[in-house]
Amino acid sequence: MDTLSLLLDDISLHGAEFIEMRMGAPWLIQVDNQDQACFHILISGHGLLEMKGQAPQSLTPGDIVIIPNGMAHRVSDSHRETPQAIDLLAQQKTHPSETLELGGSGRSSRMISGHFRFNMDMARPLIDALPALLHLQSISNRPPAWLNIGLMFLADEQAQKRPAQQAILNRLVDILFIECLRSYVESIPEGSGNWLLALRDPALSTALSAMHSKPEKNWTVTMLANLAHMSRSGFANRFSDVLGEPPLTYLTRHRMRLASWQLCHSRQPVCRIAEQVGYTSDTAFGQAFKRQNGCSPSQYREKHLFGNN
């Protein structure tokens, strides 16, 4: 499996919710800071997205915007007018399956907005590498074919209650997120210091895929370099240059994130979790975990078991 797919599997996207809105100018939608990602798909009309510290983003039909870290923002028909703001999250709770009509009697727009959650412990490296917002722009003011198909599917899915509906919604948001993420990775300039550049590097991507698919394996730099078809020193230097840390440091941090998730969400014994992340010695695992998290695995579990992430 390719590296990006493995990264996305790790972050466990879930809890997707949608709301469709038909707006007449002037209109204003407000989203406060939250612990979940937010997205907007403009179907028709015009929109302007504003976020502190970011240049305003003009939205045209077919545009998709994702705010991965849930920063506060607002979307309106124009920055020149300030009608009463509508709280998007509150509207999603009170109108979960309805088309919401809001705003005035001016120019009409139509938008689908929603939110979703990650496992934030596992997603943190990815979220930290992404900009405050991902903007996938339409071509000639028309949504791509895959989005048209997805929107028709979404409309049909929301029209009736059927088994596994939440799983379907999660998969639809998966597609939205992946498309925006792929577009962003392709746009990252060389030498930017963003570790996501490794996804475009066949050698580094191969090594990352190996570590993520088999974190329990006793990987060495030499083994990873052989997979990348590079010399040991050349691979280690390139890995450190692009990802900002040596290969085995990256591997250890990934293993500790996996272990943290297991400690929070399962009752497996610590020794079994240690094996799953590549440690045959409970002592070695405990020492590595404490260096990363500041407490022992058992203390971490006592504090976080089955907590909300």
mmCIF file with all atom_site columns, all heavy atoms in Angstrom, residues 50-61:
data_model
loop_
_atom_site.group_PDB
_atom_site.id
_atom_site.type_symbol
_atom_site.label_atom_id
_atom_site.label_alt_id
_atom_site.label_comp_id
_atom_site.label_asym_id
_atom_site.label_entity_id
_atom_site.label_seq_id
_atom_site.pdbx_PDB_ins_code
_atom_site.Cartn_x
_atom_site.Cartn_y
_atom_site.Cartn_z
_atom_site.occupancy
_atom_site.B_iso_or_equiv
_atom_site.pdbx_formal_charge
_atom_site.auth_seq_id
_atom_site.auth_comp_id
_atom_site.auth_asym_id
_atom_site.auth_atom_id
_atom_site.pdbx_PDB_model_num
ATOM 1  N N   . GLU A 1 50 ? -12.963 33.800 5.518  1.00 0.00 ? 50 GLU A N   1
ATOM 2  C CA  . GLU A 1 50 ? -12.026 34.643 6.251  1.00 0.00 ? 50 GLU A CA  1
ATOM 3  C C   . GLU A 1 50 ? -11.591 33.933 7.529  1.00 0.00 ? 50 GLU A C   1
ATOM 4  O O   . GLU A 1 50 ? -12.419 33.378 8.249  1.00 0.00 ? 50 GLU A O   1
ATOM 5  C CB  . GLU A 1 50 ? -12.682 35.983 6.594  1.00 0.00 ? 50 GLU A CB  1
ATOM 6  C CG  . GLU A 1 50 ? -13.053 36.802 5.360  1.00 0.00 ? 50 GLU A CG  1
ATOM 7  C CD  . GLU A 1 50 ? -13.842 38.042 5.708  1.00 0.00 ? 50 GLU A CD  1
ATOM 8  O OE1 . GLU A 1 50 ? -15.021 37.904 6.094  1.00 0.00 ? 50 GLU A OE1 1
ATOM 9  O OE2 . GLU A 1 50 ? -13.276 39.154 5.592  1.00 0.00 ? 50 GLU A OE2 1
ATOM 10 N N   . MET A 1 51 ? -10.285 33.983 7.771  1.00 0.00 ? 51 MET A N   1
ATOM 11 C CA  . MET A 1 51 ? -9.701  33.351 8.956  1.00 0.00 ? 51 MET A CA  1
ATOM 12 C C   . MET A 1 51 ? -8.559  34.217 9.448  1.00 0.00 ? 51 MET A C   1
ATOM 13 O O   . MET A 1 51 ? -7.776  34.746 8.649  1.00 0.00 ? 51 MET A O   1
ATOM 14 C CB  . MET A 1 51 ? -9.186  31.946 8.596  1.00 0.00 ? 51 MET A CB  1
ATOM 15 C CG  . MET A 1 51 ? -8.549  31.189 9.742  1.00 0.00 ? 51 MET A CG  1
ATOM 16 S SD  . MET A 1 51 ? -7.794  29.627 9.173  1.00 0.00 ? 51 MET A SD  1
ATOM 17 C CE  . MET A 1 51 ? -9.235  28.764 8.562  1.00 0.00 ? 51 MET A CE  1
ATOM 18 N N   . LYS A 1 52 ? -8.464  34.373 10.745 1.00 0.00 ? 52 LYS A N   1
ATOM 19 C CA  . LYS A 1 52 ? -7.421  35.212 11.319 1.00 0.00 ? 52 LYS A CA  1
ATOM 20 C C   . LYS A 1 52 ? -6.041  34.728 10.884 1.00 0.00 ? 52 LYS A C   1
ATOM 21 O O   . LYS A 1 52 ? -5.727  33.552 10.959 1.00 0.00 ? 52 LYS A O   1
ATOM 22 C CB  . LYS A 1 52 ? -7.522  35.202 12.843 1.00 0.00 ? 52 LYS A CB  1
ATOM 23 C CG  . LYS A 1 52 ? -6.551  36.147 13.526 1.00 0.00 ? 52 LYS A CG  1
ATOM 24 C CD  . LYS A 1 52 ? -6.754  36.147 15.046 1.00 0.00 ? 52 LYS A CD  1
ATOM 25 C CE  . LYS A 1 52 ? -5.787  37.119 15.718 1.00 0.00 ? 52 LYS A CE  1
ATOM 26 N NZ  . LYS A 1 52 ? -5.977  37.145 17.197 1.00 0.00 ? 52 LYS A NZ  1
ATOM 27 N N   . GLY A 1 53 ? -5.219  35.662 10.415 1.00 0.00 ? 53 GLY A N   1
ATOM 28 C CA  . GLY A 1 53 ? -3.862  35.332 10.005 1.00 0.00 ? 53 GLY A CA  1
ATOM 29 C C   . GLY A 1 53 ? -3.745  34.790 8.595  1.00 0.00 ? 53 GLY A C   1
ATOM 30 O O   . GLY A 1 53 ? -2.642  34.464 8.145  1.00 0.00 ? 53 GLY A O   1
ATOM 31 N N   . GLN A 1 54 ? -4.876  34.676 7.873  1.00 0.00 ? 54 GLN A N   1
ATOM 32 C CA  . GLN A 1 54 ? -4.862  34.146 6.518  1.00 0.00 ? 54 GLN A CA  1
ATOM 33 C C   . GLN A 1 54 ? -5.484  35.155 5.554  1.00 0.00 ? 54 GLN A C   1
ATOM 34 O O   . GLN A 1 54 ? -6.375  35.916 5.933  1.00 0.00 ? 54 GLN A O   1
ATOM 35 C CB  . GLN A 1 54 ? -5.666  32.838 6.446  1.00 0.00 ? 54 GLN A CB  1
ATOM 36 C CG  . GLN A 1 54 ? -5.161  31.750 7.372  1.00 0.00 ? 54 GLN A CG  1
ATOM 37 C CD  . GLN A 1 54 ? -3.815  31.212 6.974  1.00 0.00 ? 54 GLN A CD  1
ATOM 38 O OE1 . GLN A 1 54 ? -3.550  31.014 5.788  1.00 0.00 ? 54 GLN A OE1 1
ATOM 39 N NE2 . GLN A 1 54 ? -2.961  30.958 7.949  1.00 0.00 ? 54 GLN A NE2 1
ATOM 40 N N   . ALA A 1 55 ? -5.027  35.158 4.323  1.00 0.00 ? 55 ALA A N   1
ATOM 41 C CA  . ALA A 1 55 ? -5.643  36.007 3.302  1.00 0.00 ? 55 ALA A CA  1
ATOM 42 C C   . ALA A 1 55 ? -7.044  35.489 3.010  1.00 0.00 ? 55 ALA A C   1
ATOM 43 O O   . ALA A 1 55 ? -7.260  34.272 2.976  1.00 0.00 ? 55 ALA A O   1
ATOM 44 C CB  . ALA A 1 55 ? -4.798  35.991 2.035  1.00 0.00 ? 55 ALA A CB  1
ATOM 45 N N   . PRO A 1 56 ? -8.014  36.384 2.816  1.00 0.00 ? 56 PRO A N   1
ATOM 46 C CA  . PRO A 1 56 ? -9.374  35.931 2.474  1.00 0.00 ? 56 PRO A CA  1
ATOM 47 C C   . PRO A 1 56 ? -9.352  35.048 1.230  1.00 0.00 ? 56 PRO A C   1
ATOM 48 O O   . PRO A 1 56 ? -8.612  35.304 0.279  1.00 0.00 ? 56 PRO A O   1
ATOM 49 C CB  . PRO A 1 56 ? -10.130 37.244 2.234  1.00 0.00 ? 56 PRO A CB  1
ATOM 50 C CG  . PRO A 1 56 ? -9.355  38.279 2.979  1.00 0.00 ? 56 PRO A CG  1
ATOM 51 C CD  . PRO A 1 56 ? -7.918  37.860 2.893  1.00 0.00 ? 56 PRO A CD  1
ATOM 52 N N   . GLN A 1 57 ? -10.171 34.018 1.243  1.00 0.00 ? 57 GLN A N   1
ATOM 53 C CA  . GLN A 1 57 ? -10.242 33.079 0.131  1.00 0.00 ? 57 GLN A CA  1
ATOM 54 C C   . GLN A 1 57 ? -11.580 33.236 -0.586 1.00 0.00 ? 57 GLN A C   1
ATOM 55 O O   . GLN A 1 57 ? -12.646 33.026 0.010  1.00 0.00 ? 57 GLN A O   1
ATOM 56 C CB  . GLN A 1 57 ? -10.116 31.642 0.641  1.00 0.00 ? 57 GLN A CB  1
ATOM 57 C CG  . GLN A 1 57 ? -8.808  31.346 1.348  1.00 0.00 ? 57 GLN A CG  1
ATOM 58 C CD  . GLN A 1 57 ? -7.651  31.245 0.392  1.00 0.00 ? 57 GLN A CD  1
ATOM 59 O OE1 . GLN A 1 57 ? -7.715  30.522 -0.602 1.00 0.00 ? 57 GLN A OE1 1
ATOM 60 N NE2 . GLN A 1 57 ? -6.572  31.949 0.683  1.00 0.00 ? 57 GLN A NE2 1
ATOM 61 N N   . SER A 1 58 ? -11.526 33.623 -1.852 1.00 0.00 ? 58 SER A N   1
ATOM 62 C CA  . SER A 1 58 ? -12.739 33.735 -2.650 1.00 0.00 ? 58 SER A CA  1
ATOM 63 C C   . SER A 1 58 ? -13.135 32.347 -3.136 1.00 0.00 ? 58 SER A C   1
ATOM 64 O O   . SER A 1 58 ? -12.307 31.603 -3.666 1.00 0.00 ? 58 SER A O   1
ATOM 65 C CB  . SER A 1 58 ? -12.497 34.663 -3.838 1.00 0.00 ? 58 SER A CB  1
ATOM 66 O OG  . SER A 1 58 ? -13.668 34.787 -4.621 1.00 0.00 ? 58 SER A OG  1
ATOM 67 N N   . LEU A 1 59 ? -14.392 31.972 -2.933 1.00 0.00 ? 59 LEU A N   1
ATOM 68 C CA  . LEU A 1 59 ? -14.879 30.653 -3.296 1.00 0.00 ? 59 LEU A CA  1
ATOM 69 C C   . LEU A 1 59 ? -15.807 30.743 -4.501 1.00 0.00 ? 59 LEU A C   1
ATOM 70 O O   . LEU A 1 59 ? -16.700 31.594 -4.548 1.00 0.00 ? 59 LEU A O   1
ATOM 71 C CB  . LEU A 1 59 ? -15.630 30.016 -2.124 1.00 0.00 ? 59 LEU A CB  1
ATOM 72 C CG  . LEU A 1 59 ? -14.897 29.942 -0.787 1.00 0.00 ? 59 LEU A CG  1
ATOM 73 C CD1 . LEU A 1 59 ? -15.769 29.260 0.261  1.00 0.00 ? 59 LEU A CD1 1
ATOM 74 C CD2 . LEU A 1 59 ? -13.563 29.220 -0.929 1.00 0.00 ? 59 LEU A CD2 1
ATOM 75 N N   . THR A 1 60 ? -15.577 29.884 -5.468 1.00 0.00 ? 60 THR A N   1
ATOM 76 C CA  . THR A 1 60 ? -16.430 29.802 -6.644 1.00 0.00 ? 60 THR A CA  1
ATOM 77 C C   . THR A 1 60 ? -17.020 28.390 -6.710 1.00 0.00 ? 60 THR A C   1
ATOM 78 O O   . THR A 1 60 ? -16.527 27.464 -6.040 1.00 0.00 ? 60 THR A O   1
ATOM 79 C CB  . THR A 1 60 ? -15.640 30.106 -7.925 1.00 0.00 ? 60 THR A CB  1
ATOM 80 O OG1 . THR A 1 60 ? -14.541 29.173 -8.031 1.00 0.00 ? 60 THR A OG1 1
ATOM 81 C CG2 . THR A 1 60 ? -15.069 31.515 -7.891 1.00 0.00 ? 60 THR A CG2 1
ATOM 82 N N   . PRO A 1 61 ? -18.084 28.178 -7.485 1.00 0.00 ? 61 PRO A N   1
ATOM 83 C CA  . PRO A 1 61 ? -18.727 26.860 -7.523 1.00 0.00 ? 61 PRO A CA  1
ATOM 84 C C   . PRO A 1 61 ? -17.746 25.728 -7.820 1.00 0.00 ? 61 PRO A C   1
ATOM 85 O O   . PRO A 1 61 ? -16.911 25.811 -8.713 1.00 0.00 ? 61 PRO A O   1
ATOM 86 C CB  . PRO A 1 61 ? -19.752 27.021 -8.662 1.00 0.00 ? 61 PRO A CB  1
ATOM 87 C CG  . PRO A 1 61 ? -20.107 28.477 -8.622 1.00 0.00 ? 61 PRO A CG  1
ATOM 88 C CD  . PRO A 1 61 ? -18.805 29.173 -8.309 1.00 0.00 ? 61 PRO A CD  1
#
